[in-house]
Amino acid sequence: MSLIVDVDPAFNFYVPGQLYLPDYLGGKGKSATTKNQDATVKQLMKKSGGMLGTGQNGIISDMTAGGVLRLNSLEEAADNKLSPEKQKEINAYSQLINDAMRLKSDIVLNWLDGYGSTPDDIAPDLKKEYEYNLARWTISNNASLARLQNPSTEVKEWMNNLNLKFKDLKEALVNPFQIDEEIYVRPELLERMRDLGLFRLKIPEKFGGLGFNQREYDKVIRTVIHTYSGTLSGKISAHSTLGSKPFEYYGDFQQRHHHLPKIARGDGLVSFALTERGSGTDAINNAETIAKLSPDGKKYILNGSKIYITNTHRSSLMLIFAKVDDGGPELKPTVFIKELPFRLSDTQEQIDEKRQKLKEEGFYISKPLKLSGIRGSNQAYIEFHNLEIPIVNEEGITNILGEVGEGTKVIFNSLNAGRAGFGSFCAEAARCAFQMSVLEAIQRRRFDEHGGRLADLPQVKRYIAEMAIKTEALDAAVELTTNLVDTFPHMNIIAECAAIKVLSSEEAWKISTTAARMFGGQSLMKGHPIELIRRDMWVPLIVEGVTEALKQHLVGVGAKPALKAGMNPIALGKLGASRLKYESGGLSINDMWWIQRKTKSYSARAMALGLLNGNKTMLKQKELLALADEAIEIYQAAAVLLKLRDQSLPEHKKLALKQFIKNLKRKDVMIEGIRNDEHYPKAATSQIITKISPIKLKKKDLYPEEIANAYIKEAENELSSQRSLEEKIFKGSENNSSDRFKQFVIVSSQGEEKIA
């Protein structure tokens, strides 16, 4: 039979995976819905109860529905610092992690490989640079070894508590480029991370964990970011939030006491199988993994698939989201517990053997997905084919987390915990990229007519000023959110966590891509940290809820009190009365008046949109996205204003933060409270809407050179300090820099632990 088909232009170019499998070949494609839209919206609003959270109204909730920014509560959170003793303790732990997670010498080989060279096949000038990098690695490694061998009192206490000896930490194990290339984190590194306590950070002490609060946890995540591996930070984050937290939140007494000590012990990690190819952010409505009770009533039988499941190949436990079909009118979202055979100590061969063995149960796990970012995070594609999960395991522990039908609550409150940690992950990565770019700009020679350095170019100075403002403002918002989590544990901060996830992921991507421009072609070369950071920073934009969906969600959560009030005159009266409040939070009269008026203007538009559209407000995506941008802007502005009260803040950071506020105020004055975006929601009928085209501010006014110069000066001081230290070390007392320098090169190239 001939396989020649009609030479239609549609078949001239074939793209694998472009079209989904058609229904007649067993696909599960969906056509456009034909349901009554009103009925669909009502059904979704009924299901969304667990998505809006419980507890005391959050900051954005009161902003949206009540028209007041609770600056007094934000001030309380901002001032809730760790005690000096606790800060000293966490700093010591961070120092221990920094030294124990130091980089291997072969990162220099990865850098050299980016130039298409090896130590045996290298050009003379490049060889000098290669040897210089080897020598600098030796200095850094020696410093870490010295600190570990003779630790401070605080670090020694941590080492004793973790049962760590110097010999356990003597070998450098981290190479982010190796992880990226192999799509694999080697067992010895995972075991080092386990021994350091990185997989039990947030587990309560009574279950064998470290019991860290959000501020302490964020400090650790920021430290791990300095390995330049988004993979390592991602593995810790997914395990600590989506993995272990659900047991703490929703596990019964037996589940908590059975599973949490095992998780703290660290034989394996915990993964959460939620995402499917056809249901990413919209997991509740479109997930197609179905669980049915077996005829004997003793187990559930699962069929379906999952994708992008982090830590799969290192998990001893997996939480699986499925919909229970019990024959009733609606499917019931439920979270199941499945024990897996994988361990941190597994080799690649052992992982493959265990994958093949699981197929006998109807549990198909792919090899690690070949992603462009956070490679090595053990993400997998999974299929369930009549996978049996007993209702009760052999030890008498229930394999359902929460109750049947409570999966929505488990998912969204667990995701909330994860989103809170995204801020520190993204903010520190952004700061790393920014600082590296300024250091590059002051060393790179370009265009003598402008001064001779890349940093002297006016446009580059604009980039530096822009990155500085974004970096410092993002840090302020992240710090405030972190403190908010710890200060008000019973506050419903789903909206705030969504806001910080959106803000941090968007800003980190912008900062890292701008920073990469400073490196030119080097930003595309493997072996350069900026290339790795930029790729990894695309991931936060997508995972745990895409930006656009989270923006809609945070406005929906914020409007919850108004939705509950309905047309009740008493409830509406209380919401109206709150608009008369003007909390100051210790700010100046001018700043308080500006940000509270901004809040009330935003709230008026949000409530008008809700009153005009009722439940169908959720369908007004463009309007909701515009409102969310404004809510996030207000929240970040409050964080910056509160941060500026800190008298110990370095002058260059004050300049950047003040400019952030100045830019917002200028924009508000020019627009005069009227939005020119054609998609911006119209306010109440009493408000006159006039479309204008405001004159754009000159970029030099938005990002003044004064800020760039301040950060350039900081980078120059750092570079000068490093050069002075290197010269002192390389020259030694004999002042014979050539011989001394070669000693450092030989030590690093031979992989010795320490120079004599």
Side-chain angles (χ1 to χ4, degrees):
M1 180 179 69
S2 174
L3 294 180
I4 297 176
V5 297
D6 183 15
V7 287
D8 189 283
F11 289 96
N12 285 352
F13 184 67
Y14 168 68
V15 180
Q18 187 177 43
L19 301 183
Y20 284 14
L21 190 68
D23 293 347
Y24 60 82
L25 292 178
K28 299 178 181 179
K30 290 185 178 181
S31 57
T33 180
T34 56
K35 292 181 180 178
N36 178 276
Q37 194 177 55
D38 289 333
T40 302
V41 169
K42 285 181 180 179
Q43 187 179 27
L44 288 175
M45 292 300 291
K46 180 182 177 181
K47 289 181 181 179
S48 67
M51 298 162 60
L52 299 181
T54 58
Q56 176 189 1
N57 286 348
I59 302 300
I60 292 178
S61 178
D62 280 349
M63 277 171 49
T64 306
V68 61
L69 179 59
R70 287 164 50 193
L71 284 170
N72 293 345
S73 295
L74 290 178
E75 180 187 27
E76 184 180 346
D79 292 341
N80 184 20
K81 311 286 187 185
L82 293 174
S83 67
E85 296 77 17
K86 180 58 73 172
Q87 185 66 55
K88 193 174 183 180
E89 179 185 329
I90 296 302
N91 285 344
Y93 182 55
S94 297
Q95 182 63 63
L96 174 60
I97 293 169
N98 185 69
D99 289 331
M101 298 279 287
R102 65 193 183 279
L103 301 175
K104 296 166 65 176
S105 63
D106 56 8
I107 62 165
V108 186
L109 291 175
N110 291 106
W111 169 83
L112 187 62
D113 187 51
Y115 282 91
S117 302
T118 66
D120 298 325
D121 182 12
I122 186 171
D125 288 344
L126 188 61
K127 184 177 181 180
K128 294 177 184 177
E129 206 168 338
Y130 166 64
E131 290 179 342
Y132 172 67
N133 277 285
L134 280 176
R136 290 191 72 239
W137 174 86
T138 305
I139 295 173
S140 176
N141 189 61
N142 283 359
S144 289
L145 287 171
R147 285 191 293 267
L148 291 169
Q149 198 165 18
N150 299 288
S152 66
T153 302
E154 293 77 18
V155 171
K156 188 173 183 60
E157 186 175 345
W158 272 109
M159 291 176 71
N160 289 337
N161 291 340
L162 295 167
N163 196 28
L164 289 170
K165 302 288 191 295
F166 171 69
K167 64 180 179 62
D168 302 323
L169 308 174
K170 194 174 180 181
E171 184 183 358
L173 296 177
V174 179
N175 183 339
F177 309 112
Q178 182 183 64
I179 293 170
D180 185 68
E181 184 178 335
E182 295 179 352
I183 320 181
Y184 177 69
V185 181
R186 297 183 178 184
E188 57 267 26
L189 176 53
L190 290 171
E191 290 173 328
R192 170 78 58 87
M193 294 169 71
R194 176 198 62 200
D195 295 344
L196 285 166
L198 293 174
F199 296 133
R200 54 187 174 114
L201 295 171
K202 302 193 84 171
I203 296 174
E205 291 182 71
K206 66 180 180 180
F207 296 117
L210 298 183
F212 278 13
N213 60 32
Q214 194 67 30
R215 290 163 296 174
E216 296 162 346
Y217 172 79
D218 279 16
K219 174 75 173 175
V220 174
I221 291 296
R222 284 178 180 267
T223 302
V224 177
I225 281 291
H226 287 267
T227 62
Y228 305 122
S229 175
T231 290
L232 298 182
S233 301
K235 291 181 82 67
I236 295 170
S237 178
H239 170 76
S240 301
T241 55
L242 283 174
S244 60
K245 269 296 175 184
F247 287 97
E248 189 181 338
Y249 289 160
Y250 296 102
D252 59 29
F253 180 86
Q254 286 184 314
Q255 287 172 331
R256 289 197 302 273
H257 283 76
H258 177 75
H259 290 298
L260 286 174
K262 285 186 175 181
I263 297 170
R265 192 169 64 233
D267 294 336
L269 303 180
V270 186
S271 51
F272 199 139
L274 170 62
T275 304
E276 300 179 10
R277 289 186 68 196
S279 65
T281 301
D282 193 16
I284 299 298
N285 298 309
N286 285 318
E288 295 183 339
T289 298
I290 300 297
K292 292 184 178 182
L293 194 62
S294 62
D296 61 8
K298 293 182 178 180
K299 52 185 172 285
Y300 278 92
I301 301 172
L302 272 64
N303 284 280
S305 65
K306 302 290 178 181
I307 195 169
Y308 311 124
I309 310 307
T310 305
N311 290 332
T312 296
H313 309 92
R314 294 296 185 184
S315 291
S316 56
L317 281 174
M318 177 177 282
L319 300 176
I320 303 172
F321 175 76
K323 293 180 178 179
V324 171
D325 182 357
D326 59 4
E330 291 188 1
L331 301 175
K332 298 176 179 178
T334 304
V335 174
F336 294 90
I337 303 169
K338 170 65 178 172
E339 296 193 29
L340 294 178
F342 302 114
R343 298 294 181 265
L344 298 182
S345 58
D346 286 347
T347 63
Q348 286 182 309
E349 291 75 18
Q350 289 171 324
I351 290 172
D352 281 339
E353 287 175 9
K354 292 177 179 181
R355 284 195 313 108
Q356 299 304 324
K357 186 69 174 174
L358 284 169
K359 290 180 181 179
E360 298 173 10
E361 300 180 31
F363 199 152
Y364 291 76
I365 298 175
S366 73
K367 290 183 177 181
L369 302 181
K370 294 186 178 180
L371 307 175
S372 62
I374 59 169
R375 293 159 63 86
S377 55
N378 292 115
Q379 298 202 32
Y381 172 70
I382 298 170
E383 288 187 9
F384 312 116
H385 291 272
N386 295 324
L387 174 66
E388 297 181 355
I389 297 183
I391 294 176
V392 178
N393 69 15
E394 293 177 355
E395 295 167 285
I397 311 299
T398 305
N399 280 329
I400 294 173
L401 195 61
E403 301 292 333
V404 171
E406 286 190 348
T408 303
K409 279 198 305 185
V410 176
I411 287 171
F412 279 93
N413 289 313
S414 301
L415 283 169
N416 194 45
R419 288 166 186 158
F422 258 98
S424 57
F425 174 90
C426 293
E428 194 64 22
R431 184 173 293 280
C432 283
F434 169 49
Q435 290 175 337
M436 284 191 293
S437 72
V438 181
L439 205 56
E440 172 73 8
I442 64 174
Q443 296 180 86
R444 197 170 175 190
R445 305 302 301 178
R446 291 292 186 277
F447 307 108
D448 289 343
E449 62 271 24
H450 284 283
R453 303 180 305 176
L454 193 64
D456 296 321
L457 291 169
Q459 180 63 20
V460 170
K461 286 189 175 183
R462 190 190 83 81
Y463 287 147
I464 292 173
E466 181 180 6
M467 286 190 290
I469 293 167
K470 288 181 182 296
T471 299
E472 302 302 348
L474 174 57
D475 240 1
V478 168
E479 183 181 328
L480 181 62
T481 306
T482 296
N483 287 12
L484 203 62
V485 172
D486 287 341
T487 307
F488 301 106
H490 301 296
M491 181 183 286
N492 178 3
I493 58 167
I494 283 184
E496 289 71 23
C497 291
I500 205 62
K501 197 270 183 181
V502 167
L503 178 66
S504 62
S505 59
E506 292 278 2
E507 295 296 81
W509 173 248
K510 292 173 186 174
I511 293 166
S512 62
T513 50
T514 302
R517 300 179 76 160
M518 304 291 191
F519 290 84
Q522 292 180 87
S523 67
L524 299 173
M525 290 174 68
K526 295 293 183 71
H528 278 268
I530 190 64
E531 187 271 338
L532 195 55
I533 290 173
R534 184 177 56 83
R535 276 193 286 123
D536 283 349
M537 282 304 101
W538 178 251
V539 178
L541 290 168
I542 300 167
V543 299
E544 295 189 26
V546 295
T547 291
E548 291 75 14
L550 287 181
K551 284 182 177 182
Q552 290 177 253
H553 188 50
L554 77 88
V555 177
V557 172
K560 183 182 176 183
L563 292 173
K564 288 176 67 176
M567 298 308 294
N568 185 315
I570 297 176
L572 287 173
K574 288 181 179 179
L575 290 176
S578 69
R579 297 177 185 281
L580 302 176
K581 294 180 181 178
Y582 284 83
E583 293 188 7
S584 68
L587 301 183
S588 68
I589 293 295
N590 286 339
D591 286 338
M592 180 276 291
W593 181 250
W594 166 71
I595 200 166
Q596 291 289 11
R597 284 188 62 196
K598 192 175 176 70
T599 301
K600 295 179 193 309
S601 175
Y602 153 75
S603 176
R605 281 186 291 277
M607 290 301 96
L609 184 70
L611 289 171
L612 289 171
N613 296 282
N615 283 344
K616 284 192 175 182
T617 301
M618 65 181 295
L619 302 176
K620 302 293 181 180
Q621 186 182 49
K622 293 176 181 177
E623 291 86 345
L624 289 171
L625 293 179
L627 282 167
D629 285 337
E630 191 171 0
I632 294 171
E633 185 178 274
I634 293 168
Y635 181 68
Q636 186 177 24
V640 170
L641 289 170
L642 289 167
K643 183 73 174 178
L644 280 167
R645 298 172 310 141
D646 185 356
Q647 297 301 314
S648 65
L649 204 63
E651 194 59 37
H652 61 287
K653 293 189 176 186
K654 285 182 183 177
L655 282 173
L657 292 173
K658 286 178 180 178
Q659 188 66 39
F660 176 83
I661 296 298
K662 191 181 295 184
N663 289 347
L664 287 185
K665 288 183 176 180
R666 282 175 174 173
K667 185 181 76 171
D668 286 353
V669 168
M670 292 179 65
I671 296 177
E672 296 179 351
I674 304 170
R675 311 294 171 180
N676 71 320
D677 189 328
E678 62 177 313
H679 301 310
Y680 207 87
K682 306 302 184 287
T685 52
S686 60
Q687 182 177 356
I688 300 173
I689 299 296
T690 306
K691 291 190 176 182
I692 61 171
S693 298
I695 302 170
K696 290 185 178 179
L697 280 171
K698 293 180 181 178
K699 289 180 179 178
K700 70 177 182 179
D701 296 326
L702 289 170
Y703 310 115
E705 284 193 6
E706 178 189 13
I707 294 174
N709 291 336
Y711 280 83
I712 288 171
K713 185 66 176 176
E714 289 294 312
E716 288 171 342
N717 291 339
E718 180 186 345
L719 181 60
S720 176
S721 176
Q722 287 194 33
R723 294 292 197 211
S724 297
L725 179 61
E726 287 173 5
E727 185 176 353
K728 182 179 179 181
I729 294 172
F730 290 152
K731 284 186 175 181
S733 57
E734 300 84 8
N735 203 32
N736 188 343
S737 58
S738 178
D739 291 344
R740 179 89 174 156
F741 175 77
K742 286 179 180 178
Q743 280 185 283
F744 283 90
V745 175
I746 292 169
V747 167
S748 59
S749 63
Q750 291 179 350
E752 296 182 27
E753 304 297 346
K754 191 172 183 179
I755 190 170

mmCIF file of all heavy atoms in Angstrom, residues 224-247:
data_model
loop_
_atom_site.group_PDB
_atom_site.id
_atom_site.type_symbol
_atom_site.label_atom_id
_atom_site.label_comp_id
_atom_site.label_asym_id
_atom_site.label_seq_id
_atom_site.Cartn_x
_atom_site.Cartn_y
_atom_site.Cartn_z
ATOM 1 N N VAL A 224 21.652 28.953 49.612
ATOM 2 C CA VAL A 224 21.799 27.878 48.624
ATOM 3 C C VAL A 224 21.835 28.446 47.203
ATOM 4 O O VAL A 224 22.502 27.884 46.320
ATOM 5 C CB VAL A 224 20.672 26.841 48.777
ATOM 6 C CG1 VAL A 224 20.765 25.760 47.698
ATOM 7 C CG2 VAL A 224 20.725 26.193 50.159
ATOM 8 N N ILE A 225 21.159 29.557 46.969
ATOM 9 C CA ILE A 225 21.156 30.189 45.646
ATOM 10 C C ILE A 225 22.580 30.514 45.193
ATOM 11 O O ILE A 225 22.888 30.513 43.992
ATOM 12 C CB ILE A 225 20.291 31.472 45.668
ATOM 13 C CG1 ILE A 225 18.808 31.112 45.580
ATOM 14 C CG2 ILE A 225 20.648 32.416 44.533
ATOM 15 C CD1 ILE A 225 18.377 30.544 44.247
ATOM 16 N N HIS A 226 23.478 30.732 46.144
ATOM 17 C CA HIS A 226 24.852 31.115 45.790
ATOM 18 C C HIS A 226 25.676 29.942 45.255
ATOM 19 O O HIS A 226 26.849 30.118 44.938
ATOM 20 C CB HIS A 226 25.533 31.776 46.981
ATOM 21 C CG HIS A 226 25.025 33.166 47.236
ATOM 22 N ND1 HIS A 226 25.621 34.288 46.719
ATOM 23 C CD2 HIS A 226 23.940 33.605 47.922
ATOM 24 C CE1 HIS A 226 24.933 35.355 47.081
ATOM 25 N NE2 HIS A 226 23.908 34.973 47.808
ATOM 26 N N THR A 227 25.056 28.771 45.167
ATOM 27 C CA THR A 227 25.690 27.675 44.426
ATOM 28 C C THR A 227 25.455 27.838 42.928
ATOM 29 O O THR A 227 25.973 27.055 42.136
ATOM 30 C CB THR A 227 25.115 26.316 44.856
ATOM 31 O OG1 THR A 227 23.709 26.281 44.542
ATOM 32 C CG2 THR A 227 25.306 26.076 46.351
ATOM 33 N N TYR A 228 24.638 28.827 42.552
ATOM 34 C CA TYR A 228 24.244 29.093 41.163
ATOM 35 C C TYR A 228 23.402 27.969 40.580
ATOM 36 O O TYR A 228 23.233 27.886 39.359
ATOM 37 C CB TYR A 228 25.461 29.345 40.259
ATOM 38 C CG TYR A 228 26.353 30.440 40.768
ATOM 39 C CD1 TYR A 228 27.695 30.205 41.038
ATOM 40 C CD2 TYR A 228 25.854 31.717 41.015
ATOM 41 C CE1 TYR A 228 28.517 31.212 41.536
ATOM 42 C CE2 TYR A 228 26.658 32.728 41.515
ATOM 43 C CZ TYR A 228 27.994 32.465 41.771
ATOM 44 O OH TYR A 228 28.789 33.462 42.268
ATOM 45 N N SER A 229 22.856 27.125 41.438
ATOM 46 C CA SER A 229 22.038 26.016 40.956
ATOM 47 C C SER A 229 20.592 26.207 41.395
ATOM 48 O O SER A 229 20.256 26.008 42.567
ATOM 49 C CB SER A 229 22.574 24.681 41.496
ATOM 50 O OG SER A 229 21.709 23.633 41.120
ATOM 51 N N GLY A 230 19.743 26.587 40.445
ATOM 52 C CA GLY A 230 18.319 26.653 40.738
ATOM 53 C C GLY A 230 17.762 25.282 41.053
ATOM 54 O O GLY A 230 16.765 25.146 41.763
ATOM 55 N N THR A 231 18.425 24.250 40.528
ATOM 56 C CA THR A 231 18.005 22.874 40.789
ATOM 57 C C THR A 231 18.035 22.552 42.274
ATOM 58 O O THR A 231 17.070 22.017 42.831
ATOM 59 C CB THR A 231 18.915 21.885 40.034
ATOM 60 O OG1 THR A 231 18.654 21.979 38.635
ATOM 61 C CG2 THR A 231 18.665 20.453 40.482
ATOM 62 N N LEU A 232 19.140 22.863 42.941
ATOM 63 C CA LEU A 232 19.279 22.517 44.355
ATOM 64 C C LEU A 232 18.268 23.270 45.213
ATOM 65 O O LEU A 232 17.639 22.696 46.106
ATOM 66 C CB LEU A 232 20.707 22.796 44.826
ATOM 67 C CG LEU A 232 21.812 22.000 44.120
ATOM 68 C CD1 LEU A 232 23.167 22.327 44.715
ATOM 69 C CD2 LEU A 232 21.545 20.499 44.190
ATOM 70 N N SER A 233 18.103 24.562 44.941
ATOM 71 C CA SER A 233 17.104 25.344 45.676
ATOM 72 C C SER A 233 15.704 24.829 45.396
ATOM 73 O O SER A 233 14.866 24.754 46.294
ATOM 74 C CB SER A 233 17.200 26.826 45.283
ATOM 75 O OG SER A 233 18.477 27.334 45.566
ATOM 76 N N GLY A 234 15.448 24.476 44.132
ATOM 77 C CA GLY A 234 14.125 23.970 43.756
ATOM 78 C C GLY A 234 13.793 22.656 44.428
ATOM 79 O O GLY A 234 12.647 22.417 44.827
ATOM 80 N N LYS A 235 14.786 21.779 44.554
ATOM 81 C CA LYS A 235 14.559 20.484 45.205
ATOM 82 C C LYS A 235 14.202 20.692 46.680
ATOM 83 O O LYS A 235 13.298 20.046 47.202
ATOM 84 C CB LYS A 235 15.804 19.596 45.082
ATOM 85 C CG LYS A 235 16.082 19.114 43.680
ATOM 86 C CD LYS A 235 17.297 18.218 43.607
ATOM 87 C CE LYS A 235 16.949 16.796 43.988
ATOM 88 N NZ LYS A 235 16.064 16.132 43.034
ATOM 89 N N ILE A 236 14.925 21.584 47.341
ATOM 90 C CA ILE A 236 14.637 21.870 48.754
ATOM 91 C C ILE A 236 13.248 22.475 48.899
ATOM 92 O O ILE A 236 12.464 22.072 49.766
ATOM 93 C CB ILE A 236 15.698 22.829 49.329
ATOM 94 C CG1 ILE A 236 17.075 22.169 49.345
ATOM 95 C CG2 ILE A 236 15.321 23.270 50.739
ATOM 96 C CD1 ILE A 236 18.214 23.125 49.660
ATOM 97 N N SER A 237 12.943 23.432 48.048
ATOM 98 C CA SER A 237 11.664 24.143 48.137
ATOM 99 C C SER A 237 10.476 23.214 47.894
ATOM 100 O O SER A 237 9.508 23.208 48.667
ATOM 101 C CB SER A 237 11.645 25.295 47.122
ATOM 102 O OG SER A 237 10.413 25.977 47.158
ATOM 103 N N ALA A 238 10.529 22.430 46.811
ATOM 104 C CA ALA A 238 9.413 21.531 46.496
ATOM 105 C C ALA A 238 9.197 20.508 47.605
ATOM 106 O O ALA A 238 8.057 20.198 47.982
ATOM 107 C CB ALA A 238 9.673 20.825 45.169
ATOM 108 N N HIS A 239 10.281 19.984 48.141
ATOM 109 C CA HIS A 239 10.193 18.992 49.223
ATOM 110 C C HIS A 239 9.658 19.621 50.508
ATOM 111 O O HIS A 239 8.837 19.011 51.211
ATOM 112 C CB HIS A 239 11.583 18.404 49.466
ATOM 113 C CG HIS A 239 11.689 17.564 50.694
ATOM 114 N ND1 HIS A 239 11.190 16.275 50.756
ATOM 115 C CD2 HIS A 239 12.220 17.820 51.918
ATOM 116 C CE1 HIS A 239 11.422 15.778 51.971
ATOM 117 N NE2 HIS A 239 12.048 16.698 52.682
ATOM 118 N N SER A 240 10.095 20.841 50.819
ATOM 119 C CA SER A 240 9.754 21.470 52.098
ATOM 120 C C SER A 240 8.349 22.046 52.125
ATOM 121 O O SER A 240 7.773 22.202 53.207
ATOM 122 C CB SER A 240 10.761 22.594 52.408
ATOM 123 O OG SER A 240 12.077 22.101 52.464
ATOM 124 N N THR A 241 7.805 22.384 50.974
ATOM 125 C CA THR A 241 6.492 23.046 50.940
ATOM 126 C C THR A 241 5.412 22.110 50.389
ATOM 127 O O THR A 241 4.580 21.613 51.132
ATOM 128 C CB THR A 241 6.575 24.338 50.113
ATOM 129 O OG1 THR A 241 7.084 24.038 48.802
ATOM 130 C CG2 THR A 241 7.509 25.333 50.772
ATOM 131 N N LEU A 242 5.464 21.836 49.097
ATOM 132 C CA LEU A 242 4.467 20.940 48.499
ATOM 133 C C LEU A 242 4.601 19.513 49.013
ATOM 134 O O LEU A 242 3.641 18.753 49.011
ATOM 135 C CB LEU A 242 4.610 20.934 46.980
ATOM 136 C CG LEU A 242 4.044 22.140 46.230
ATOM 137 C CD1 LEU A 242 4.393 22.050 44.765
ATOM 138 C CD2 LEU A 242 2.556 22.236 46.418
ATOM 139 N N GLY A 243 5.810 19.148 49.462
ATOM 140 C CA GLY A 243 6.040 17.774 49.903
ATOM 141 C C GLY A 243 5.639 17.518 51.334
ATOM 142 O O GLY A 243 4.656 16.829 51.620
ATOM 143 N N SER A 244 6.393 18.075 52.281
ATOM 144 C CA SER A 244 6.176 17.737 53.691
ATOM 145 C C SER A 244 5.082 18.557 54.372
ATOM 146 O O SER A 244 4.425 18.073 55.303
ATOM 147 C CB SER A 244 7.492 17.896 54.463
ATOM 148 O OG SER A 244 7.961 19.229 54.390
ATOM 149 N N LYS A 245 4.864 19.797 53.948
ATOM 150 C CA LYS A 245 3.882 20.659 54.620
ATOM 151 C C LYS A 245 2.461 20.098 54.623
ATOM 152 O O LYS A 245 1.739 20.230 55.615
ATOM 153 C CB LYS A 245 3.890 22.052 53.996
ATOM 154 C CG LYS A 245 4.851 23.029 54.662
ATOM 155 C CD LYS A 245 4.451 23.295 56.098
ATOM 156 C CE LYS A 245 5.476 24.167 56.806
ATOM 157 N NZ LYS A 245 5.137 24.354 58.233
ATOM 158 N N PRO A 246 1.988 19.476 53.522
ATOM 159 C CA PRO A 246 0.629 18.935 53.551
ATOM 160 C C PRO A 246 0.395 17.937 54.687
ATOM 161 O O PRO A 246 -0.706 17.868 55.241
ATOM 162 C CB PRO A 246 0.486 18.257 52.179
ATOM 163 C CG PRO A 246 1.402 19.025 51.294
ATOM 164 C CD PRO A 246 2.571 19.385 52.162
ATOM 165 N N PHE A 247 1.414 17.172 55.063
ATOM 166 C CA PHE A 247 1.261 16.241 56.187
ATOM 167 C C PHE A 247 1.038 17.006 57.486
ATOM 168 O O PHE A 247 0.234 16.598 58.327
ATOM 169 C CB PHE A 247 2.505 15.349 56.319
ATOM 170 C CG PHE A 247 2.616 14.300 55.258
ATOM 171 C CD1 PHE A 247 3.407 14.495 54.140
ATOM 172 C CD2 PHE A 247 1.910 13.109 55.373
ATOM 173 C CE1 PHE A 247 3.505 13.522 53.157
ATOM 174 C CE2 PHE A 247 1.999 12.124 54.390
ATOM 175 C CZ PHE A 247 2.801 12.337 53.281
#
